[in-house]
Amino acid sequence: MTEHTEVVVIGGGYAGVMAANRLTQRDDVTVTLINPRPVFVERIRLHQLVGGAYDPTVDLRELLAERVRLTVGGVTRIDAAGRTLTLAGGGTVGYDYLVYAVGSGTVDQRVPGAAEYAYPVAGLEEARRLRAALDALPASAAITVVGAGPAGIETATELAGAGRRVTLVCGGVLGPYLHPRGRRSVARHSAALGVTVVAGPGTRVTAVTRHAVRLADGRELPGDLTVWTTGFGVPDLASRSGLTTDGIGRLRTDETLTSVDDPRIIAAGDSAAPSGLAYRMGCQSAVQLGPQAAETVLSRLAGRAPAPVTVGFAGQCISLGRRAGVFQFSHRDDLALRLYVGGRFGAWLKEFVCRGTVRQLAHEAKKPGARKWWAEDRTRPARVVAHREESPGTADCRT
């Protein structure tokens, strides 16, 4: 009788679903996916939920291979020595290999008043709570969105496109990732939708009250509701379990995505920090890291040395309401180029990416291992070496 290898994936986001599906390439591998809810959340569409235009959930069973077992619940602790997981609802689950793909969420709010009075939008429950709060306000209410990254820009323009009165507080520049040409396009479309953009020195928010935000330059901007989009954090499961993490709690791995503490634990997605030099959080990196985490496990089962991870970026796409968008092209090392596409075609590209990402997950479920190539960032090896020289003790690739 063939002995099965038990692989558990924690997290049913972009990286976790890709990893779980790809692991089913081997018949002697049993795959269990543990996720807090029975649905997959299209996080890149949460702003549409806030605007009342879209339900960003998909039944996970529609995206998972038949052989992937789904356990709905949370994990409270990883016992690496015993290779067991403690479940939030009670009981434990054992594993031979663990794929750690817990994703990211709202970072702890340290600005006075933010936790009490601001509405984050990084997760499904948070977006639903914000939607309910907006529904309780009159259409004329003043909405303040704090943070000018993609989440802030998309939320502000989505609400403005739905007729809301919106102020976007940047805390610096509008769209810091963008090339100046792409940034100007975002500014034009935001203005056309009626968004008031507050940018420049002194626009960092220093306090939030029930009906205003205070800026570093002393100004106070009144508003009826504040939306908070300033950055992401990761769950503290790894650090609580005694595993080595980076400064914000991502699991420290080598370049094969293997934990620096345990060769049986592999990380993927937003919660991974390979060589202490993590990739930009988002689905673009997650859908590449997830299957490569699975390949690391499969290589070890086959007695081969796992390959170093290779992730390349195409750019950043931002929707600007329902009728416009910007696709900012980049070098594969994630540095923005002068080239961008805006307007209606930019909106079409954004929608194409959103739909294509879900289709990619479903395709991997039906044909695990279908994707045979990865976009390569050829500058990463040199950057990893430089980072190791600056930070002695960073792990090398495991074999």
Side-chain angles (χ1 to χ4, degrees), residues 8 44 48 61 98 109 121 138 150 155 177 203 221 277 288 381:
V8 176
I44 53 180
Q48 291 180 254
R61 288 281 22 141
L98 175 66
Q109 308 303 333
V121 72
T155 302
Y177 174 89
T203 61
L221 305 179
L277 198 62
Q288 298 178 73

Side-chain angles (χ1 to χ4, degrees), residues 144-150 152-153 156 167-176 183 186-187 190 195-205 213 215 219 221 227-231:
T144 303
V145 178
V146 179
I153 294 170
T167 298
L168 177 61
V169 181
C170 297
V173 300
L174 175 68
R183 188 174 299 129
V186 170
S190 298
V195 177
T196 300
V197 176
V198 179
T203 61
R204 178 177 56 84
V205 173
V213 298
L215 307 185
R219 282 181 289 173
L221 305 179
V227 182
W228 199 266
T229 71
T230 60

